[in-house]
Amino acid sequence: MEEQPQSLRALFGDAESKRKELENSYDSNSATFQRNLMSAIATYEECLKVADRVSLFSPNETLEDVSSGDIQYMLIHFHVAELVQRINGGDRKANLLGARRSYDNFLKLLDSYDMLSKSDAKLYERYLEAPNSFSTASTTDAAARRETKIARFREEKAMKAKLEHLRQNPAAFQNDEDALRQLQLTNIALSVHMTFQALESLAMELQILALAPPPGQPSASSALKDERQRGKQSDGYSERLDQPLSRLTAGGMAGPILSADGKPLRPFTLLGNRQRFQEGVFRPDHSLPTMSIDEYLEEERKRGGIIEGGGEQSGIRPEPNEDDFDKADEETMKARAWDEFVEENPKGAGNTMNRG
């Protein structure tokens, strides 16, 4: 009897190391990951067999009767359920139902030891009443559902922070049994919180799988496709307008376009008014340019809209001729007249509205 608990401790340690290794792996679709996953599940299931064989947990006990080192074994069902959910391939519905059974066993064990809080006990009762439609929040009131989700998120965050704080000094657990017990109970409380979230997710996924057709029954679209294919094989008619090249080269281009009942016999192109109407419909909704930029500039140049060369219109002042004394005197008189005008009319002389 003394060797079996030791064997359980060794098996549980091996299973925990395998589970933590899987948590650090990101390629969950690889064959190696799935093999390690099945190995971890098998090790946890062996732990359950050993725990049942030694009667580790009894319905006649209370939580005070369970030692601090044995509390961690209450999480075996929870870890099995988590791992089963990550199985790829096979019967997905069977895997989900197996995970839900493990979650059931986990909650049932905690309930027998009265370890569920008041809020978790209410959720457990709600789950037992309708496991297939279980939800942690209201499904009719969006505001109440949002508030419940926010509250549960804050609870989960607080429990994770507390658990991380307790794990910062692992050496203290070797000499302080109360600290170890508090760590185990906090871990179980967080696992219960995650269990109800997983049960809600399982219920939604099972509802979706219930709407899918059985594996042996073809879907409506595939059945319709098969029926069309059988019709094509019976009368040789195909809905394709682009016939195979073998039929086109074997004289298929000759003969009428349509059969007596209006079925197309060979490819053809619509011409005439319909083609013109189609080109008028499928066109841009804006006016496209009718000439390039170079063509536009050339047209403006012909119309005289572009100024080239010198002259007064170009704004280029010609160089003064130093030998043209008459032009120089004219410019001098014009400058003197402008200076006299400026002296007689100082700046602001015409603004009489704002004078005090």
Side-chain angles (χ1 to χ4, degrees), residues 65-342:
D65 300 328
V66 182
S67 64
S68 301
D70 292 342
I71 293 179
Q72 60 181 343
Y73 301 132
M74 293 182 173
L75 294 170
I76 297 178
H77 285 293
F78 172 76
H79 292 319
V80 171
E82 274 191 323
L83 295 177
V84 170
Q85 282 186 272
R86 305 183 69 178
I87 297 177
N88 289 338
D91 191 350
R92 179 61 178 171
K93 184 176 181 180
N95 293 334
L96 294 179
L97 293 176
R100 191 166 72 176
R101 283 193 299 269
S102 296
Y103 284 127
D104 287 342
N105 294 330
F106 173 62
L107 294 177
K108 187 183 299 182
L109 176 62
L110 298 183
D111 186 55
S112 65
Y113 280 89
D114 198 18
M115 297 177 62
L116 298 177
S117 63
K118 292 183 179 179
S119 59
D120 291 336
K122 291 181 180 179
L123 284 177
Y124 184 47
E125 293 178 0
R126 188 190 306 172
Y127 165 73
L128 292 178
E129 292 176 356
N132 294 328
S133 59
F134 171 74
S135 177
T136 58
S138 175
T139 56
T140 57
D141 190 350
R145 181 178 179 83
R146 180 176 180 274
E147 292 297 330
T148 303
K149 291 292 184 180
I150 292 175
R152 290 188 61 82
F153 173 76
R154 291 175 178 174
E155 291 176 3
E156 180 180 352
K157 186 177 180 181
M159 285 187 288
K160 287 183 178 179
K162 181 179 179 180
L163 192 62
E164 185 65 24
H165 176 72
L166 293 174
R167 288 176 175 173
Q168 289 179 356
N169 189 12
F173 303 139
Q174 299 177 359
N175 301 323
D176 191 350
E177 185 176 357
D178 293 337
L180 177 61
R181 195 176 189 84
Q182 186 178 7
L183 174 66
Q184 302 292 355
L185 293 178
T186 304
N187 194 12
I188 287 180
L190 178 60
S191 300
V192 172
H193 185 91
M194 298 173 64
T195 295
F196 286 120
Q197 289 183 345
L199 289 174
E200 182 179 9
S201 177
L202 288 175
M204 290 188 293
E205 188 170 355
L206 286 172
Q207 290 177 3
I208 295 175
L209 292 177
L211 300 177
Q217 180 180 355
S219 60
S221 59
S222 61
L224 181 59
K225 183 177 180 180
D226 294 341
E227 184 178 354
R228 289 179 176 177
Q229 188 67 25
R230 288 194 298 269
K232 294 176 184 178
Q233 295 175 358
S234 61
D235 58 0
Y237 168 70
S238 175
E239 295 179 353
R240 292 182 53 185
L241 293 181
D242 51 341
Q243 299 296 332
L245 184 61
S246 59
R247 292 189 57 183
L248 297 178
T249 57
M253 295 299 295
I257 296 178
L258 299 177
S259 63
D261 53 355
K263 295 180 180 179
L265 301 177
R266 58 185 176 87
F268 59 90
T269 304
L270 299 176
L271 299 174
N273 294 335
R274 180 175 295 184
Q275 182 71 20
R276 187 173 68 255
F277 292 155
Q278 182 179 0
E279 293 176 355
V281 171
F282 298 102
R283 64 179 182 181
D285 57 352
H286 57 278
S287 299
L288 297 176
T290 58
M291 64 176 64
S292 65
I293 297 177
D294 295 336
E295 292 174 346
Y296 169 74
L297 294 177
E298 182 64 27
E299 195 68 26
E300 285 292 321
R301 186 179 292 107
K302 293 179 181 179
R303 293 166 48 190
I306 298 178
I307 301 175
E308 295 180 346
E312 296 182 357
Q313 293 181 348
S314 64
I316 301 175
R317 298 180 61 85
E319 293 291 336
N321 188 1
E322 297 179 355
D323 298 332
D324 191 354
F325 297 103
D326 296 335
K327 185 66 174 177
D329 293 340
E330 182 180 352
E331 293 293 334
T332 302
M333 295 301 295
K334 186 184 297 185
R336 288 178 180 177
W338 174 251
D339 292 338
E340 292 176 359
F341 175 79
V342 171

